[in-house]
Amino acid sequence: MTLIIKYLLLSNHRVRKAFVNKQSFYIGSRFLTNKHPYSLNMTAPEGLNLPTIFQLLTNFAPLTLAESWDNVGLLIKPVKMQLIRKVLLTIDLTDDVMQEALEEEAQMIISYHPPLFNSFKRITNQWKDRIAATCLENRIAVYSPHTSWDSVKDGLNDWLAKCFDCESIVPISPYKFLEPGRNEITHSMSIKCPTTKVDELNLILNKTSCYGLFSSLPQNEEGYHKYDILCSVKELRNYKQFLEDNQCEFEVKNQTASKETLEGCGSGRICRLKTPISLSEAVDKVKKHINLPHLRLALAVGKTEESKIRSIALVAGSGASALRDAYADLYLTGEMLHHDILAANHQLTSVILINHSDSERGFLKEVAPRLESIFQNKVVVHVSKKDKDPLITV
């Protein structure tokens, strides 16, 4: 074994680092271990292709629910896609989480916070550049749902509301249904293209301007190649014209979320409790639900910890902008600026802060089995053990 490793280290120019111990060895950016990701008693999952995973994720939480400033959807798409059998689920995609994805041999990472947000002008050895390069090198896809999971009904904010026994829960700002734009993904297509026309079809697909379009790996079948495509209304017309002119078989499905399915979605939540509780009781309920020993409380002017509350406005993450116009006895969020807290307190609203990602992370354990069900139990969803809030109370 030692000789084989030495040979690989000397012959492979793409090697970045390597180490050997009793458990594992790392070659290039691929971590190999004697602990297989699936136990001897477990059958490897059947897996799904990336287009199918994308469709199922956007059916669960349409990307149109995301805030306009957000960067959601498929952020990293490998040039050569692989079948996805394991997904790593995390709040933040850090170096430690990236290493965990390699160790777990995940083919996809769902990172709640988008690891890529600002434009790239160069790719160097900065940590986000390094993560993007490692994902591409190892053919790992990256998807970020962020505020679409906040907004969707039974999503992150509704999970946070489970801290309390509520009589009613409604969005602070209900989602306003809009018809999709010309370049938004609205349809899926299954295509059987004659082998003689594959090169022409590939040219058309590669010219697409829609950021989320991709095709599955073509599969040979009796002189045909099979594709799964996601596209906008604008692109659908172009594709249909080519397919009809070249005797291709295809099926089109509308992927646009209906107005009815988006009811109950929106930013933040306002909760009315069944019975009033004291602020100290509210603190205890939040600690138990979030599984944190400490949090921060800012009492409203003239209030004490024994003051009763009946209404709560909450936003996971950073909630100041969404909470500013919400009237409630208590604000619950991850973080707020000093002056926003003072303004709330002087409007007779107390504030509980629980750290940005600590207000979100507990949702992952709840949503992981739901995602496995959505993926038809053909994909394992692993919640990251390395993911954590960068802040601790000391």
Side-chain angles (χ1 to χ4, degrees), residues 7-22:
Y7 172 77
L8 288 169
L9 292 176
L10 291 171
S11 62
N12 188 345
H13 295 293
R14 295 173 64 248
V15 169
R16 293 184 178 178
K17 65 177 180 176
F19 62 84
V20 181
N21 59 33
K22 294 181 180 179

Side-chain angles (χ1 to χ4, degrees), residues 317-375:
S318 181
S321 59
L323 292 170
R324 191 169 291 124
D325 297 322
Y327 175 78
D329 300 323
L330 175 68
Y331 287 169
L332 172 62
T333 188
E335 61 182 352
M336 287 176 70
L337 294 175
H338 173 80
H339 296 288
D340 291 325
I341 296 171
L342 288 179
N345 290 166
H346 281 78
Q347 293 170 1
L348 304 184
T349 300
S350 299
V351 178
I352 291 178
L353 301 182
I354 48 181
N355 285 344
H356 188 114
S357 68
D358 283 332
S359 69
E360 303 159 335
R361 188 164 286 103
F363 178 64
L364 299 187
K365 290 184 179 179
E366 178 177 290
V367 80
R370 288 166 61 186
L371 290 176
E372 288 188 339
S373 178
I374 288 167
F375 297 154

Side-chain angles (χ1 to χ4, degrees), residues 83-113:
L83 199 64
I84 296 169
R85 291 190 169 91
K86 179 177 279 193
V87 169
L88 182 68
L89 186 58
T90 184
I91 293 293
D92 292 303
L93 180 48
T94 60
D95 275 332
D96 286 343
V97 175
M98 185 71 253
Q99 178 66 26
E100 183 182 13
L102 296 173
E103 293 175 12
E104 290 291 332
E105 297 190 18
Q107 294 83 32
M108 184 176 189
I109 299 169
I110 298 178
S111 177
Y112 168 76
H113 288 144

Side-chain angles (χ1 to χ4, degrees), residues 37-295:
Y38 312 111
S39 69
L40 294 176
N41 298 323
M42 183 190 302
T43 304
E46 184 178 336
L48 295 171
N49 63 27
L50 187 54
T52 302
I53 293 279
F54 183 94
Q55 278 184 250
L56 294 172
L57 284 170
T58 53
N59 289 343
F60 168 62
L63 297 179
T64 53
L65 292 175
E67 299 291 340
S68 58
W69 48 262
D70 208 354
N71 188 37
V72 294
L74 185 66
L75 303 188
I76 295 179
K77 173 206 161 191
V79 175
K80 294 183 178 180
M81 290 179 285
Q82 54 184 330
L83 199 64
I84 296 169
R85 291 190 169 91
K86 179 177 279 193
V87 169
L88 182 68
L89 186 58
T90 184
I91 293 293
D92 292 303
L93 180 48
T94 60
D95 275 332
D96 286 343
V97 175
M98 185 71 253
Q99 178 66 26
E100 183 182 13
L102 296 173
E103 293 175 12
E104 290 291 332
E105 297 190 18
Q107 294 83 32
M108 184 176 189
I109 299 169
I110 298 178
S111 177
Y112 168 76
H113 288 144
L116 307 180
F117 204 93
N118 298 319
S119 300
F120 278 71
K121 290 190 175 180
R122 58 181 59 83
I123 297 178
T124 59
N125 201 36
Q126 298 296 318
W127 72 277
K128 287 197 174 184
D129 303 9
R130 188 167 60 245
I131 284 171
T134 302
C135 287
L136 289 170
E137 185 178 0
N138 290 276
R139 299 164 62 195
I140 297 174
V142 177
Y143 180 93
S144 177
H146 202 203
T147 52
S148 68
W149 277 14
D150 295 351
S151 179
V152 72
K153 190 175 182 180
D154 296 324
L156 202 159
N157 279 317
D158 285 314
W159 166 81
L160 190 57
K162 290 181 180 179
C163 291
F164 310 104
D165 189 11
C166 298
E167 180 179 86
S168 64
I169 303 173
V170 296
I172 294 174
S173 300
Y175 175 75
K176 295 179 181 178
F177 181 81
L178 299 172
E179 292 296 331
R182 296 176 68 208
N183 290 321
E184 289 185 40
I185 292 176
T186 54
H187 292 79
S188 63
M189 301 182 74
S190 297
I191 300 170
K192 282 181 65 176
C193 179
T195 303
T196 55
K197 297 294 181 179
V198 164
D199 289 342
E200 292 179 58
L201 178 57
N202 284 338
L203 282 174
I204 293 175
L205 295 179
N206 288 331
K207 288 180 180 178
T208 179
S209 61
C210 184
Y211 82 95
L213 180 143
F214 50 87
S215 65
S216 66
L217 291 171
Q219 302 169 357
N220 289 315
E221 182 185 302
E222 300 175 356
Y224 285 87
H225 279 214
K226 296 174 67 177
Y227 292 84
D228 290 325
I229 306 294
L230 297 174
C231 61
S232 65
V233 173
K234 177 182 176 182
E235 292 158 341
L236 178 64
R237 289 196 294 268
N238 295 334
Y239 297 155
K240 284 179 71 174
Q241 187 65 53
F242 171 85
L243 298 173
E244 289 169 353
D245 291 346
N246 290 279
Q247 293 79 49
C248 298
E249 299 177 27
F250 63 94
E251 179 184 0
V252 179
K253 293 183 180 179
N254 192 323
Q255 298 296 327
T256 306
S258 68
K259 188 173 183 178
E260 292 72 22
T261 62
L262 298 178
E263 289 183 2
C265 300
S267 60
R269 296 293 185 266
I270 294 180
C271 310
R272 184 167 178 80
L273 304 180
K274 290 182 178 179
T275 56
I277 61 174
S278 68
L279 280 166
S280 62
E281 289 177 285
V283 167
D284 289 340
K285 288 178 180 293
V286 173
K287 284 181 178 179
K288 182 178 180 180
H289 187 64
I290 305 295
N291 192 29
L292 285 177
H294 306 287
L295 46 74

